[in-house]
């Protein structure tokens, strides 16, 4: 029997969840006009010196658009899809982007965007998890750790609002 994570009663995300699905009090202050940048650019951001996990910090008030190579797509226990990304010009530069499960974000007005981005990510995943993409997402600092494959500064795009496949792997 195939069970989804929700059917198995695995909880949705917890850590800074309202920030991650844009339902926190500061979400209305996010600048949604994307800033064009690169993986190199965002992993160069300095984490906030006085990080407060209860609210948005510095670069978390902006949406970024960048081109990256997806090297893997994984489903996590918190039901997010993790996109492991690298800079197309320098494969040593890596970061993570995450797409919430829209079923876990029903009170977010962005759940349709999460659903559309997940469809693209699942398509890439079904074909081996590699593709060149344009990705648009809100800045997010993960303060707890530098996850395997993540940026050294803990910066991520979370949530991803739009994912566009530019070129499948191997072309």
């Amino acid at each position: 029997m195939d069970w989804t994570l929700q059917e198995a009663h695995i909880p949705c995300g917890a850590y800074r969840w309202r920030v991650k699905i844009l339902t926190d009090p500061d979400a209305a202050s996010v600048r949604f006009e994307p800033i064009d940048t690169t993986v190199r650019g965002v992993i160069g951001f300095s984490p906030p010196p006085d990080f407060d996990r209860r609210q948005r910090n510095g670069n978390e008030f902006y949406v970024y658009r960048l081109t990256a190579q997806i090297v893997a797509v994984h489903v996590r226990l918190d039901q997010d899809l993790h996109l492991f990304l690298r800079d197309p010009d320098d494969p040593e530069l890596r970061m993570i982007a995450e797409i919430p499960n829209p079923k876990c974000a029903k009170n977010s007005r962005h759940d349709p965007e999460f659903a559309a981005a997940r469809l693209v990510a699942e398509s890439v995943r079904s074909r081996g998890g590699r593709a060149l993409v344009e990705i648009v997402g809100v800045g997010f600092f993960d303060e707890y750790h530098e996850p395997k494959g993540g940026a050294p500064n803990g910066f991520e795009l979370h949530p991803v609002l739009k994912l566009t496949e530019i070129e499948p792997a191997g072309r």
Side-chain angles (χ1 to χ4, degrees):
M1 171 188 252
D2 283 336
W3 280 17
T4 67
L5 291 172
Q6 281 193 324
E7 289 168 335
H9 302 291
I10 303 295
C12 296
Y15 169 70
R16 298 186 73 202
W17 187 245
R18 293 185 68 204
V19 171
K20 290 178 178 180
I21 63 168
L22 295 164
T23 59
D24 61 297
D26 292 331
S29 298
V30 171
R31 179 179 172 246
F32 283 93
E33 181 65 33
I35 297 170
D36 290 320
T37 189
T38 62
V39 172
R40 177 181 297 282
V42 298
I43 69 171
F45 292 158
S46 296
D50 54 348
F51 188 85
D52 182 349
R53 67 175 143 171
R54 295 166 298 184
Q55 62 187 27
R56 290 184 184 275
N57 298 269
N59 298 100
E60 296 180 336
F61 284 96
Y62 300 94
V63 171
Y64 302 91
R65 177 175 39 227
L66 55 87
T67 299
Q69 181 75 41
I70 295 179
V71 295
V73 178
H74 294 235
V75 180
R76 294 298 197 206
L77 282 178
D78 67 359
Q79 301 190 44
D80 287 349
L81 279 184
H82 279 215
L83 310 178
F84 293 86
L85 307 173
R86 70 176 181 212
D87 189 296
D89 298 323
D90 186 346
E92 296 299 314
L93 302 177
R94 297 178 179 259
M95 67 177 292
I96 291 174
E98 300 188 39
I99 310 171
N101 183 336
K103 293 178 182 175
C104 295
K106 284 298 185 191
N107 57 342
S108 173
R109 65 185 182 106
H110 299 278
D111 65 317
E113 293 162 280
F114 305 155
R118 282 176 77 100
L119 284 175
V120 175
E122 288 289 2
S123 173
V124 170
R125 183 172 179 245
S126 73
R127 292 178 280 115
R130 294 181 180 271
L132 185 67
V133 296
E134 179 181 87
I135 185 165
V136 177
V138 182
F140 182 81
F141 277 102
D142 191 338
E143 70 162 331
Y144 283 135
H145 61 289
E146 177 187 329
K148 185 177 180 180
N153 64 352
F155 191 81
E156 302 177 352
L157 294 180
H158 195 312
V160 170
L161 300 172
K162 186 175 182 183
L163 185 64
T164 306
E165 187 171 357
I166 297 170
E167 181 178 297
R171 290 210 168 168

